Amino acid sequence: MKIYFSENSDPMLLSTRKSLEKIGNRILEFSESPENELTIKAETNGSPEPYAELLPGIRIRKSETDHTLYFGSDRYLELEISKADLQAFCATFSLKETSHRHWYSGPISLIIEAA
């Protein structure tokens, strides 16, 4: 998995369909666990072109409020999300009928795409 980002667009999480399905399953397991935080590291090797940079990963935290996606001080994507929304987020990683999906959030959204 790689997460591409440029100032003029939403970040894009890119991986194979199989890898995206595994990530979705990992998030689903997290949603059902007592843990409050999950960190998924991304690959940062190679060129980010045509984007400006590769982000180091995504950190997901369970919360009681509406979901919000933002950049942490370490450039990780930070997603704070309720358990109900977390299960919906898992579904965005299933790309059997399409090559990409959007997770709409604030202040930024996320594009999830199969390579």
Side-chain angles (χ1 to χ4, degrees):
M1 162 183 94
K2 289 187 176 185
I3 305 173
Y4 295 87
F5 177 69
S6 289
E7 290 296 326
N8 58 351
S9 66
D10 288 327
M12 180 179 68
L13 188 153
L14 178 69
S15 197
T16 64
R17 289 180 197 278
K18 186 175 182 177
S19 175
L20 291 172
E21 185 177 323
K22 286 181 182 180
I23 293 167
N25 288 336
R26 189 169 169 196
I27 295 168
L28 183 60
E29 288 173 11
F30 165 67
S31 75
E32 298 168 349
S33 79
E35 299 297 317
N36 288 323
E37 182 175 294
L38 172 67
T39 299
I40 302 173
K41 293 183 179 182
E43 296 175 30
T44 56
N45 58 325
S47 171
E49 291 185 5
Y51 294 84
E53 66 180 301
L54 291 168
L55 301 178
I58 185 168
R59 189 170 294 119
I60 304 167
R61 284 189 197 89
K62 294 175 185 172
S63 74
E64 299 299 320
T65 61
D66 291 336
H67 60 270
T68 182
L69 182 67
Y70 57 94
F71 293 105
S73 60
D74 57 0
R75 297 301 285 164
Y76 268 77
L77 287 176
E78 304 271 348
L79 176 62
E80 294 185 13
I81 189 168
S82 69
K83 185 174 180 176
D85 284 345
L86 188 55
Q87 292 182 353
F89 183 63
C90 295
T92 62
F93 287 85
S94 177
L95 299 176
K96 293 176 182 164
E97 298 87 33
T98 184
S99 62
H100 79 276
R101 293 184 190 237
H102 295 259
W103 177 258
Y104 296 102
S105 189
I108 58 175
S109 295
L110 179 63
I111 301 165
I112 299 169
E113 187 159 330

Short mmCIF file of all heavy atoms in Angstrom, two decimals, residues 16 34 61 69 75 81:
data_model
loop_
_atom_site.label_atom_id
_atom_site.label_comp_id
_atom_site.label_asym_id
_atom_site.label_seq_id
_atom_site.Cartn_x
_atom_site.Cartn_y
_atom_site.Cartn_z
N THR A 16 -3.05 -3.30 -4.41
CA THR A 16 -3.74 -4.32 -5.20
C THR A 16 -5.10 -4.61 -4.55
O THR A 16 -5.31 -4.34 -3.36
CB THR A 16 -2.93 -5.63 -5.25
OG1 THR A 16 -2.84 -6.15 -3.92
CG2 THR A 16 -1.53 -5.39 -5.84
N PRO A 34 -11.15 -4.57 21.50
CA PRO A 34 -11.17 -3.55 22.55
C PRO A 34 -10.12 -2.45 22.33
O PRO A 34 -10.11 -1.45 23.04
CB PRO A 34 -10.87 -4.34 23.82
CG PRO A 34 -10.08 -5.52 23.36
CD PRO A 34 -10.60 -5.85 21.98
N ARG A 61 -8.41 5.89 14.95
CA ARG A 61 -8.78 5.92 16.37
C ARG A 61 -10.30 5.86 16.50
O ARG A 61 -11.00 6.58 15.80
CB ARG A 61 -8.30 7.21 17.04
CG ARG A 61 -6.85 7.24 17.32
CD ARG A 61 -6.47 8.46 18.18
NE ARG A 61 -5.05 8.67 18.09
CZ ARG A 61 -4.46 9.42 17.18
NH1 ARG A 61 -5.15 10.05 16.29
NH2 ARG A 61 -3.15 9.55 17.17
N LEU A 69 -10.98 13.15 9.13
CA LEU A 69 -9.70 12.72 8.58
C LEU A 69 -8.81 13.94 8.43
O LEU A 69 -9.23 14.95 7.85
CB LEU A 69 -9.91 12.03 7.23
CG LEU A 69 -8.67 11.45 6.54
CD1 LEU A 69 -8.10 10.28 7.33
CD2 LEU A 69 -9.02 11.00 5.13
N ARG A 75 2.82 13.33 9.65
CA ARG A 75 2.36 13.18 8.26
C ARG A 75 1.53 11.91 8.05
O ARG A 75 1.18 11.59 6.92
CB ARG A 75 3.49 13.25 7.24
CG ARG A 75 4.22 14.57 7.20
CD ARG A 75 3.34 15.74 6.89
NE ARG A 75 2.95 15.80 5.48
CZ ARG A 75 1.95 16.56 5.03
NH1 ARG A 75 1.25 17.29 5.85
NH2 ARG A 75 1.65 16.56 3.75
N ILE A 81 -13.05 8.03 14.25
CA ILE A 81 -14.26 7.48 13.68
C ILE A 81 -15.04 6.65 14.70
O ILE A 81 -14.44 6.00 15.54
CB ILE A 81 -13.88 6.64 12.42
CG1 ILE A 81 -15.09 6.22 11.62
CG2 ILE A 81 -12.99 5.48 12.79
CD1 ILE A 81 -14.73 5.66 10.25
#
